[in-house]
Amino acid sequence: MDVTTPAGAPWLIVGLGNPGPEYAMNRHNVGFMVADLLAERIGGRFKRAGKAQAQVVEGRIGPPGPLNRRVILAKPMSYMNLSGGPVKALKDFYKVPVSNIVAVHDELDIDYGVLRLKLGGGDNGHNGLKSMTKAFSAEYHRVRFGIGRPPGRMQVADFVLKDFSSAERKELDYFVDRAADAVECLVIEGLERAQSTYNS
């Protein structure tokens, strides 16, 4: 286990996205898609989290025994640019160390479907990460899901708020499934093992 992941502390896995059906299939909402799949895997359903502006599922990931982890899956309902407030409220309520927070998000500078896992670092212009870092610190884990750069002269804001293309959707379920696997590996076996397996 990484020294950065205290034994016994819960993990907070945050899928980043925007609430509302009009955003559901946007590239910017891939974090929500991964969180939904993880919730399905642990047999939970998202529900409103008390005073925090978020939906959560509580459960466990991993085999019985010392590798079994308590997790809180979360989807901030504040819109992407304000994700930090709800995440900090959940972090404080569940007493989660910053190093046990995982943000799952779209990443422009990585080819579509490619994953990169890391701990800490900059936000690379991603407003959800920027808000989280401002709310507590940058030393949380990231599972970065590549969406590639916008074609031609399309603005970044327009690109991330568009749905995945029909060609991309053919592989989307596979890539979301792989990203969920990467999150589970990170939480159960640590960052180095997850990086060696999923940083393609």
Side-chain angles (χ1 to χ4, degrees):
M1 184 190 292
D2 296 20
V3 292
T4 52
T5 55
W11 284 78
L12 177 58
I13 300 165
V14 182
L16 292 178
N18 287 309
E22 67 271 36
Y23 298 107
M25 290 305 295
N26 286 182
R27 293 181 177 92
H28 223 17
N29 269 44
V30 75
F32 274 19
M33 297 173 200
V34 175
D36 285 338
L37 178 56
L38 286 166
E40 196 179 301
R41 288 183 180 184
I42 65 174
R45 296 186 65 172
F46 278 100
K47 56 179 189 268
R48 201 78 184 189
K51 294 180 181 177
Q53 207 177 350
Q55 291 184 351
V56 299
V57 174
E58 296 181 56
R60 303 194 77 88
I61 285 175
L67 294 179
N68 192 258
R69 307 277 185 251
R70 181 180 169 221
V71 296
I72 300 101
L73 306 174
K75 297 192 295 186
M77 293 285 116
S78 57
Y79 290 96
M80 182 70 85
N81 297 6
L82 301 171
S83 299
V87 177
K88 184 178 188 306
L90 294 172
K91 167 192 166 300
D92 293 347
F93 179 78
Y94 288 104
K95 299 180 171 54
V96 180
V98 175
S99 59
N100 275 29
I101 297 174
V102 182
V104 186
H105 64 93
D106 57 305
E107 179 62 61
L108 287 159
D109 287 334
I110 303 174
D111 290 341
Y112 174 60
V114 173
L115 297 175
R116 291 279 186 276
L117 286 75
K118 69 173 187 172
L119 174 64
D123 56 61
N124 202 22
H126 193 288
N127 288 327
L129 299 182
K130 195 176 293 183
S131 179
M132 285 177 60
T133 296
K134 187 176 178 185
F136 40 92
S137 96
E139 295 308 304
Y140 51 90
H141 289 85
R142 299 101 189 277
V143 174
R144 304 154 74 205
F145 186 110
I147 60 169
R149 301 293 304 184
R153 294 172 179 238
M154 186 186 289
Q155 294 295 311
V156 165
D158 294 333
F159 179 69
V160 298
L161 292 175
K162 279 200 180 327
D163 288 358
F164 284 101
S165 70
S166 54
E168 288 170 334
R169 280 200 295 271
K170 288 175 184 171
E171 295 181 290
L172 183 59
D173 286 349
Y174 168 77
F175 288 140
V176 168
D177 194 66
R178 192 165 182 273
D181 290 346
V183 172
E184 290 183 346
C185 183
L186 167 61
V187 169
I188 296 164
E189 300 187 68
L191 179 61
E192 285 186 23
R193 172 63 67 87
Q195 285 175 324
S196 67
T197 305
Y198 293 98
N199 277 16
S200 43

